Amino acid sequence: MDSHPSLMGRSIGNSSRSSLDLGHSSSSSSPLSLTKSISDASSQSLSSILNNPHGGKSGVYGSDASWVGWWSSSTFVAPSEFAPVASTKLPGSDLTRSDFHGYVSSISESHGRFEDIRKHTREESSGFDQESHVSGLAACLREVPSLYFKEDFALEDGATFRSACPFSSLNENLALQEKLSQYLDVVELHLVKEISVRSDSFFEAQGQLQDLNVKIVEGCSRIRELKETIRLLDRNLVDSARQIQELSSTRINMLELQRKLRLILYVNQALSALKLLVASADCAGALDITDDLQNLLAGDELTGLHCFRHLRDHVTNSIDSINSILTSEFMRISIHDTGEIDVLILSAAKIRGSISYNGKTMEEAQLEEEDTSTLCDQLLPLVIGLLRTAKFPSILRMYRDALTSEMKNAIKKAVAELLPILVARSLESEFSHRERSVDVDGGGLSLANKLRTLSAEAFVNLLTAIFKIVQAHLVRASEVKKAIEWILCNIDGHYAADSVAAAIAVGAVAAETAQETGFQGGSLVSSPLGKATSKTLPLQGKSSDASSLMNMSRNFRADVLRENTEAVFAACEVTHARWAKLLGVRALLHPKLKLQEFMSIYDLTQEFITSTEKIGGRLGSSIRGTLQSQAKAFVDSQHEARMTKLKAVLDQETWDEIDVPEEFQSIISSLFASQELISRKVDADHKTYHSPAVNDSQVKSTVAPVSLERSKAGVSSVPNNQSNQKAHGKSNLLYQGVGYHMVNCGLILLKMLAEYIDMNHSLPALSSEVAFRVAEVLRFFNTRTCQLVLGAGAMQVSGLKSIKAKHLALASQVIDFTYTIILETRRILFSKVPETRKPMLSVEFDKVAQDYRIHRDEIYTKLVQIMRERLLAHLHGLPKVVEGWNRPPDTNKQTKEFAWPLTREVGYLHRVLSETLHEADVQAIFRQVILIIHTQTSQTLTNLEISSPEAKKRLKLHIELILKCIRSLPSDNANQSDIPNWGQLDEFFAQNFREGGEAE
C-alpha cells in the first residue's frame, strides 16, 4: 500500500523531468517549433499525470494521440480563431450534431468516469481548497525533518551525513531507506497537488502563446509584402523626384557658398577701409563700418568661418581707437584751451600787485563774447560719435576728473607763483626789519606760514587772482555743458537732428545690452546696433517695441545730462574745497582783523560762492559752512575784545564830564537820525522820574557814603540845561533834540554799538548772534556802572576819594542816554534777524531796558537819599542850637548854626543837578527833596521847646531862610495859593509866627 504511492510519485516525477528536459531541448528552435514543442511536452506530462482513459492501449503511464486530441478539444477552450478543426468536412460546410455521434459514442464511457472524477475533485476542493494548500504544505513540513530543507544541506558533510543516516546495522539501513522513500513520496505527492491546482493558468498561458505565435507569423508576412510594395514605389515614382530635390539642394548650396564668398570679400574690404579711416581719424566713417561689422557678428552669417575668428577683437580694438581719438579731441576742446587765460591773469596780478574783483578783465569779456555756435559745431561730431559708442557717460566722468584735476593744478600754480611776491610786498609794507626780509628771501617759511604772513590786503589780492582763474575755467566748463545740453535737447530743426536722435537710440540700446550681458570697459557689445542704420533702428528681442526704445533713449539721455551736470558741479566743489582750505589756514588770523579787512575777505568769498553756485547749479554747503564758522569766530573774537576793552575803560573811568567830539555826534546822526525820529517827541514816561514819597522807614543806606561838594556860592536859581551847556563850555551829545552830558565810557559804548550795528549789516546771517551780544554788552555796562558808582567800586579801581553828586548825575545821564537808544538799536538790529529768533531776543532787550530804567531810578533815589541824610544830620543838632539861643544874640552867627549850612547844601545839589540833568528829572528829584524838608523839619520843630522870645525870633529867622531856599527850588507841584513849593513847614510858620501872635 505504501509502496504504490511511492512508485506512482516516482513515475510522475520522472515523467515531469523528462517533459521539462524536452522543453529545454527545444528552446533554441523557431517560434513555431517552440510552440509545438511546448504543446507536445505539455500533452505528455498531463497525460501521464491525469492517466489517459484509454490506458489499456498504452499502459497506465503511457500516452495516446487520441487522448491528446481529446484534451486539446475538450479540456482547453481556446478562442474560436485558434481552435483546431475536429471535423473532416471542408471549412465553410454546414455541421450538425449527428456528425459528432460516432465520436461521442466512443468516448462516452471514458467521459463518464472523467465526469465522476471531476465532480469528486470539485467537491473535495470546494471545502479544502484554502486549507489544503496551507495544511498540506504544513503536514509535509511536519512529516519531513527540517534538516532536509536547509539551504546548505549536503550529505558529503560529515555532521550532516551522521544526522541524516544514523544507522549502525543493515536493518536500520533498510528502514532508513524506506523512510527516505516515504519522505520523497510525501514531497512528490504535494508537488503534484500544487501542479494540478495551477494547471488552468498554465494552459491559459499556453493558449495565449499560441495566439501570439500565429499573429507574429501573420505580421512577418505582412511586413514582407509592404517591403516589396515600397521597393516598387521607390523604383517607379520616388527616384526621379528625389533626384530633382537633390539637384535643387545642390543649387541652393552653391548660391549660399557664393553669398558667403561675397560676404568674406566684403568683410576683408571693410577691415582694410576701417584701418585707413581710423588712421586718418575719420571717426564717423569708421563707426559706420563698425556698425555693419557688429551687425554681422550679432547674426549667424559668419558662424563657422574660421578665417574670421579674430574679427570681434579687431572691431573692439578699432572702437577703442575711435573712442581714444574722440576722447582726446573732446578733452582738448573742453579743457586745454583755458591755459592761456591763466597765464594772462597771473601776469596781470604780478604786474599790478592787486586785482579789482569788481571789474571785468579783457580776457573775461572776450570769453563772454565768444560765439557759442562755434563751440557747438566743434563738439557736435564728437558728441555724436561718443553717443554711438555708448561711452559718452564714461567719457564725461573722465572729463569730470580731468576738469577737477585741472582746477586743482591751476589754483596750485596761482598760489605758487603769486605767494612769494605778495609775501614780500606784505613784509615790505608792514616791517622794515632786515631779518624778516632775509627769512622770506631764503624760503625758510612753509606754504601755510607764508599764507599767514600775508596782510589782509595781500590775501585779498591772492583770492582775487584765484577767483579770476577759477571763473575762467568754470565759464568754459559751463559753455561746454550748455553746448552738450543743446545738442541733446534743443537741436530740433538742425541738419544733424536725425543723426543725434539715431546716435542716442543706438547708444541707449548698446548701454542696455552691455548692462544685461555684463560687458565692462572697452569690451565689444555683440548686438547693440542690430540692423541699425543712420536713419532707422529696428531692434530685436525686447528692444523691438517702439515705447521700449523711447524709454531707453530717454534714460540714456538723462544719464548723459546728469553726468554733464555732475562734471561742472564737481569742479565747483573742488574750487570750494581749495578756497575753504586757504581760509582755514588763516582761521586764527581772520577773527583778529578789523571789520573792514574781514569784510573784504567775507564779501569776496560771498561773491565767489554766488558765482560758482550760479554756474554749478547747486549750493556749496561746505564752503558756506567754513565762511559761516569764520564769521561767527570773528563776531565772538570782536565781542570778547570789546568786552575786555569796555571793562578796562569802566575801571579807569573817573566819571568826569568830557567834551563830545564831532565824530560821536556823526555816529548818532548816521545811525539813529531820520525824519521820523527828528519829528518824534520825547515820551514823558521815559524822561520823568517816578518814585513814591520817601519816609523814614523806607530809606536805608545800602551803598557807600556819598559826600556833597562844598561851595561858597550862595543859594540862587539855576538856569535850564541848554543855557547851562553854553555857560559850562562843554558840548553835549544830542539825540532826538535832547542833549546829554557824557563821560568817556559812554562815548566808548556808543562807538561799540555803532560797530556792532555795522557788523549786523555786514553779516546778516549772524544778525541774531550780533543782537544777542549787543544785549550782553549793554547788560555788562549797566551792571558794572552800578557796581562802580552806586556800589562805590570806583573808589577802589579808579582812585576816587568819594562818590559825589556830580558823579551820580553824570552816571544817570549816561544810563538815561543808553536807555533811550535801546529801542532804536533793537529796531535796527532786528531788521536782519530771522522772525523765529525775534521773540527770544525781544525778551532779552526788554529785560536790559528794564534794568537800565531801574538803575536810573535808583540813582535818582540815591540823590534824594543823600539830601535826606544831610537834612537829618542838621536836624539832629538843632536842639543843642536852640539851647544856646537863650544867650545874648550874636548877629554874625545868628543864622549859621542850622539854616545856613542846610540851604547851602541844598543849593549846591540844585546847581549840580541843574547843570547835568534834564529839567524834568531835576523837578522830579527836588519834588521829593522839598517834601522831605517840609515833613522832617516840621516834625522836628514841633517837638522843640522854645521858652524865650529871643529863641523864637531866631527860629523864625531860620525858618524864613529855609522857606526862601525852598521857594527857589524847581518843582512840578503848585498849591491853591500859588505859592511855590508850599508845604507843612509853611503851615507851621503860619501857625507859630503870625504877626502879633504867640507861640503855642
Side-chain angles (χ1 to χ4, degrees):
M1 194 70 180
D2 294 333
S3 62
H4 182 70
S6 299
L7 180 61
M8 181 179 177
R10 282 191 296 272
S11 299
I12 292 173
N14 293 332
S15 177
S16 297
R17 284 191 292 270
S18 64
S19 64
L20 290 174
D21 293 337
L22 178 61
H24 178 71
S25 63
S26 61
S27 62
S28 60
S29 61
S30 64
L32 294 177
S33 60
L34 175 62
T35 305
K36 185 172 184 300
S37 301
I38 293 173
S39 177
D40 295 342
S42 302
S43 299
Q44 293 175 7
S45 300
L46 292 175
S47 63
S48 63
I49 294 171
L50 299 177
N51 293 328
N52 193 337
H54 297 166
K57 295 180 181 181
S58 58
V60 180
Y61 305 108
S63 177
D64 189 74
S66 62
W67 170 251
V68 174
W70 173 83
W71 173 260
S72 301
S73 61
S74 300
T75 306
F76 180 75
V77 181
S80 60
E81 63 271 20
F82 296 105
V85 180
S87 176
T88 59
K89 292 184 179 182
L90 294 175
S93 62
D94 296 333
L95 296 178
T96 60
R97 189 176 182 85
S98 61
D99 295 331
F100 297 95
H101 182 71
Y103 176 72
V104 172
S105 301
S106 63
I107 64 171
S108 59
E109 184 179 359
S110 301
H111 185 265
R113 289 196 305 272
F114 175 69
E115 287 295 333
D116 292 339
I117 294 171
R118 289 182 62 188
K119 182 178 180 181
H120 177 73
T121 304
R122 190 180 301 111
E123 289 176 355
E124 184 180 8
S125 61
S126 61
F128 301 100
D129 279 344
Q130 299 299 328
E131 293 181 9
S132 61
H133 297 293
V134 178
S135 60
L137 181 60
C140 174
L141 294 175
R142 284 194 299 271
E143 292 178 12
V144 179
S146 61
L147 174 66
Y148 299 101
F149 293 101
K150 290 183 177 181
E151 295 181 359
D152 56 349
F153 179 80
L155 284 176
E156 61 268 17
D157 184 18
T160 304
F161 181 81
R162 285 190 297 273
S163 299
C165 303
F167 60 86
S168 58
S169 60
L170 182 61
N171 294 330
E172 291 179 355
N173 185 15
L174 295 175
L176 178 60
Q177 291 182 6
E178 185 66 23
K179 186 183 291 185
L180 293 176
S181 299
Q182 184 180 356
Y183 291 161
L184 183 60
D185 292 338
V186 171
V187 173
E188 288 181 351
L189 177 63
H190 286 287
L191 286 175
V192 170
K193 288 182 179 180
E194 292 296 328
I195 292 172
S196 66
V197 170
R198 293 167 174 80
S199 60
D200 294 339
S201 298
F202 173 77
F203 286 109
E204 182 180 0
Q206 184 183 14
Q208 292 178 357
L209 281 174
Q210 291 176 353
D211 184 20
L212 178 61
N213 191 16
V214 172
K215 287 186 176 182
I216 289 172
V217 172
E218 291 179 355
C220 290
S221 301
R222 183 64 178 166
I223 289 172
R224 284 194 297 271
E225 293 176 358
L226 290 175
K227 283 184 177 181
E228 182 65 21
T229 302
I230 290 172
R231 185 180 63 80
L232 294 176
L233 291 175
D234 286 342
R235 184 180 61 193
N236 298 329
L237 298 177
V238 178
D239 288 345
S240 59
R242 184 172 63 245
Q243 185 178 6
I244 294 174
Q245 183 180 7
E246 290 176 354
L247 292 175
S248 176
S249 177
T250 303
R251 180 178 179 275
I252 292 173
N253 292 335
M254 295 298 291
L255 292 176
E256 181 65 20
L257 178 60
Q258 183 184 18
R259 192 183 68 83
K260 286 286 185 182
L261 292 175
R262 290 178 179 176
L263 179 63
I264 292 172
L265 178 61
Y266 169 75
V267 172
N268 285 329
Q269 293 176 350
L271 288 175
S272 301
L274 180 61
K275 292 180 181 179
L276 294 176
L277 292 175
V278 171
S280 61
D282 187 357
C283 297
L287 286 175
D288 292 337
I289 295 178
T290 57
D291 291 346
D292 295 338
L293 294 178
Q294 282 183 327
N295 291 334
L296 294 175
L297 290 172
D300 55 356
E301 291 86 351
L302 301 180
T303 303
L305 294 179
H306 186 69
C307 59
F308 293 139
R309 63 186 182 277
H310 300 303
L311 178 60
R312 189 180 299 275
D313 296 334
H314 290 323
V315 175
T316 301
N317 295 332
S318 299
I319 292 178
D320 292 340
S321 300
I322 295 171
N323 283 328
S324 300
I325 295 172
L326 294 174
T327 302
S328 60
E329 186 66 15
F330 179 80
M331 293 296 180
R332 184 190 66 80
I333 296 175
S334 302
I335 297 178
H336 299 154
D337 290 347
T338 57
E340 298 178 357
I341 301 177
D342 296 349
V343 175
L344 294 177
I345 294 175
L346 292 176
S347 300
K350 293 176 182 178
I351 295 173
R352 293 194 298 268
S354 63
I355 302 177
S356 175
Y357 60 88
N358 293 323
K360 292 185 178 180
T361 61
M362 184 180 299
E363 297 81 15
E364 185 178 356
Q366 291 177 354
L367 187 62
E368 291 178 354
E369 295 174 359
E370 182 181 2
D371 189 7
T372 56
S373 62
T374 303
L375 180 61
C376 293
D377 293 340
Q378 292 177 348
L379 291 178
L380 180 60
L382 303 178
V383 172
I384 292 176
L386 292 173
L387 287 173
R388 292 177 65 180
T389 60
K391 297 299 177 62
F392 200 28
S394 60
I395 298 304
L396 286 176
R397 286 190 287 270
M398 294 172 57
Y399 166 66
R400 178 186 62 190
D401 298 337
L403 182 60
T404 54
S405 178
E406 185 74 13
M407 297 293 289
K408 293 178 182 178
N409 294 332
I411 295 175
K412 184 177 180 181
K413 180 180 178 182
V415 173
E417 293 188 10
L418 294 180
L419 188 57
I421 299 174
L422 295 176
V423 168
R425 290 175 181 173
S426 299
L427 295 178
E428 288 176 1
S429 61
E430 295 180 5
F431 304 102
S432 60
H433 296 87
R434 184 177 180 183
E435 295 81 3
R436 296 295 301 269
S437 300
V438 172
D439 187 19
V440 174
D441 295 338
L445 297 178
S446 63
L447 180 62
N449 290 332
K450 288 181 181 180
L451 288 173
R452 295 187 187 99
T453 57
L454 290 178
S455 63
E457 181 182 1
F459 186 65
V460 169
N461 291 334
L462 176 62
L463 292 181
T464 304
I466 294 175
F467 187 7
K468 291 297 180 182
I469 294 174
V470 168
Q471 191 176 34
H473 284 264
L474 291 181
V475 167
R476 182 67 177 185
S478 177
E479 292 296 329
V480 173
K481 172 177 171 289
K482 293 177 182 178
I484 294 174
E485 291 176 349
W486 177 81
I487 293 172
L488 292 178
C489 303
N490 302 320
I491 201 172
D492 296 339
H494 195 267
Y495 70 90
D498 294 338
S499 299
V500 173
I504 292 175
V506 170
V509 177
E512 183 73 14
T513 307
Q515 185 177 2
E516 291 179 356
T517 55
F519 287 108
Q520 303 292 333
S523 60
L524 179 65
V525 180
S526 61
S527 58
L529 312 175
K531 309 301 181 182
T533 63
S534 62
K535 300 296 182 181
T536 61
L537 187 67
L539 303 174
Q540 297 178 355
K542 68 178 182 180
S543 302
S544 60
D545 186 61
S547 61
S548 176
L549 176 60
M550 292 178 61
N551 291 332
M552 286 191 295
S553 299
R554 185 163 47 252
N555 295 334
F556 182 67
R557 181 188 286 108
D559 292 340
V560 173
L561 293 176
R562 183 178 62 253
E563 294 296 339
N564 186 30
T565 304
E566 287 294 330
V568 180
F569 180 65
C572 293
E573 280 191 333
V574 167
T575 59
H576 290 171
R578 294 295 172 173
W579 193 284
K581 188 175 182 180
L582 292 174
L583 294 179
V585 172
R586 293 171 55 89
L588 299 178
L589 300 178
H590 290 169
K592 300 177 183 179
L593 297 176
K594 297 179 181 179
L595 179 61
Q596 293 78 6
E597 294 175 343
F598 180 79
M599 289 310 302
S600 63
I601 299 175
Y602 183 86
D603 292 339
L604 179 60
T605 304
Q606 282 285 15
E607 184 179 353
F608 172 78
I609 294 173
T610 303
S611 177
T612 53
E613 285 179 348
K614 183 178 180 181
I615 295 174
R618 298 182 191 175
L619 293 178
S621 56
S622 60
I623 189 172
R624 284 186 177 274
T626 302
L627 183 62
Q628 190 75 359
S629 63
Q630 289 204 4
K632 189 176 184 302
F634 174 77
V635 173
D636 293 339
S637 177
Q638 295 295 317
H639 176 67
E640 183 179 356
R642 281 165 175 76
M643 291 288 286
T644 303
K645 179 180 178 180
L646 186 60
K647 183 178 183 302
V649 169
L650 286 171
D651 290 344
Q652 296 175 5
E653 182 60 61
T654 58
W655 300 101
D656 292 330
E657 182 181 1
I658 62 173
D659 191 10
V660 178
E662 187 64 27
E663 172 191 357
F664 295 94
Q665 189 62 53
S666 300
I667 293 176
I668 291 294
S669 301
S670 62
L671 292 180
F672 304 111
S674 64
Q675 294 299 327
E676 179 183 359
L677 295 178
I678 293 174
S679 62
R680 186 183 302 170
K681 295 182 179 180
V682 180
D683 188 3
D685 293 338
H686 289 177
K687 306 304 296 180
T688 305
Y689 163 68
H690 298 280
S691 177
V694 182
N695 53 37
D696 295 338
S697 61
Q698 291 176 332
V699 179
K700 294 182 180 179
S701 178
T702 58
V703 295
V706 181
S707 64
L708 289 174
E709 183 180 9
R710 303 290 178 174
S711 175
K712 296 182 179 180
V715 178
S716 61
S717 63
V718 181
N720 59 21
N721 194 20
Q722 296 297 332
S723 60
N724 183 39
Q725 176 182 341
K726 295 179 181 179
H728 196 66
K730 298 288 186 179
S731 61
N732 296 342
L733 187 64
L734 296 177
Y735 176 65
Q736 295 182 347
V738 180
Y740 294 89
H741 297 268
M742 298 301 293
V743 296
N744 182 56
C745 62
L747 297 179
I748 297 298
L749 177 64
L750 175 62
K751 186 175 182 181
M752 288 184 179
L753 291 178
E755 292 172 349
Y756 276 110
I757 291 175
D758 290 341
M759 267 193 286
N760 185 72
H761 291 319
S762 302
L763 302 172
L766 297 175
S767 56
S768 57
E769 299 288 337
V770 174
F772 181 79
R773 281 156 179 77
V774 168
E776 186 177 353
V777 168
L778 291 174
R779 186 182 294 108
F780 174 76
F781 181 82
N782 183 60
T783 302
R784 189 59 179 166
T785 301
C786 182
Q787 294 173 354
L788 293 174
V789 180
L790 283 179
M795 296 175 62
Q796 285 78 30
V797 297
S798 301
L800 296 180
K801 295 181 180 180
S802 61
I803 303 299
K804 301 177 182 179
K806 183 69 173 178
H807 299 153
L808 290 172
L810 289 172
S812 67
Q813 279 280 280
V814 175
I815 295 299
D816 192 18
F817 169 75
T818 308
Y819 171 73
T820 305
I821 66 174
I822 284 178
L823 181 63
E824 187 64 19
T825 302
R826 180 176 68 175
R827 185 189 66 80
I828 295 173
L829 293 175
F830 278 22
S831 63
K832 304 293 184 180
V833 175
E835 292 296 332
T836 55
R837 299 293 301 273
K838 284 183 178 179
M840 181 185 67
L841 291 174
S842 296
V843 173
E844 291 293 327
F845 274 90
D846 290 340
K847 290 180 180 180
V848 171
Q850 184 180 4
D851 292 342
Y852 271 83
R853 182 176 58 79
I854 293 174
H855 187 192
R856 183 194 63 184
D857 293 346
E858 287 178 350
I859 293 177
Y860 292 166
T861 303
K862 183 62 179 177
L863 291 171
V864 175
Q865 182 182 356
I866 290 172
M867 198 64 249
R868 181 178 180 277
E869 291 176 352
R870 296 307 305 159
L871 176 62
L872 292 177
H874 289 293
L875 291 176
H876 182 70
L878 183 59
K880 294 182 180 181
V881 174
V882 172
E883 291 178 1
W885 286 349
N886 293 323
R887 300 173 185 174
D890 186 358
T891 57
N892 295 329
K893 296 183 180 181
Q894 288 180 355
T895 60
K896 293 183 179 180
E897 293 91 350
F898 169 66
W900 190 86
L902 177 61
T903 56
R904 185 185 61 183
E905 292 178 357
V906 172
Y908 170 74
L909 180 62
H910 179 210
R911 180 175 60 81
V912 169
L913 297 183
S914 299
E915 292 175 352
T916 308
L917 301 182
H918 303 127
E919 183 177 357
D921 296 332
V922 174
Q923 290 178 358
I925 292 173
F926 275 99
R927 176 168 53 84
Q928 299 295 325
V929 172
I930 292 170
L931 180 61
I932 291 173
I933 294 175
H934 277 294
T935 303
Q936 297 295 331
T937 305
S938 300
Q939 291 177 1
T940 302
L941 294 179
T942 303
N943 296 328
L944 290 177
E945 295 181 0
I946 302 176
S947 58
S948 63
E950 183 66 26
K952 184 177 181 181
K953 182 180 178 181
R954 291 188 178 185
L955 181 59
K956 180 182 178 182
L957 293 174
H958 282 266
I959 293 175
E960 288 176 348
L961 183 59
I962 294 173
L963 289 175
K964 182 180 179 182
C965 178
I966 291 175
R967 299 289 184 269
S968 65
L969 295 177
S971 177
D972 54 359
N973 288 341
N975 54 15
Q976 297 177 355
S977 61
D978 294 332
I979 299 175
N981 301 327
W982 175 272
Q984 294 182 10
L985 187 59
D986 290 292
E987 295 176 358
F988 177 81
F989 183 79
Q991 292 176 3
N992 293 278
F993 299 102
R994 291 191 303 268
E995 184 175 355
E998 296 179 355
E1000 296 180 358

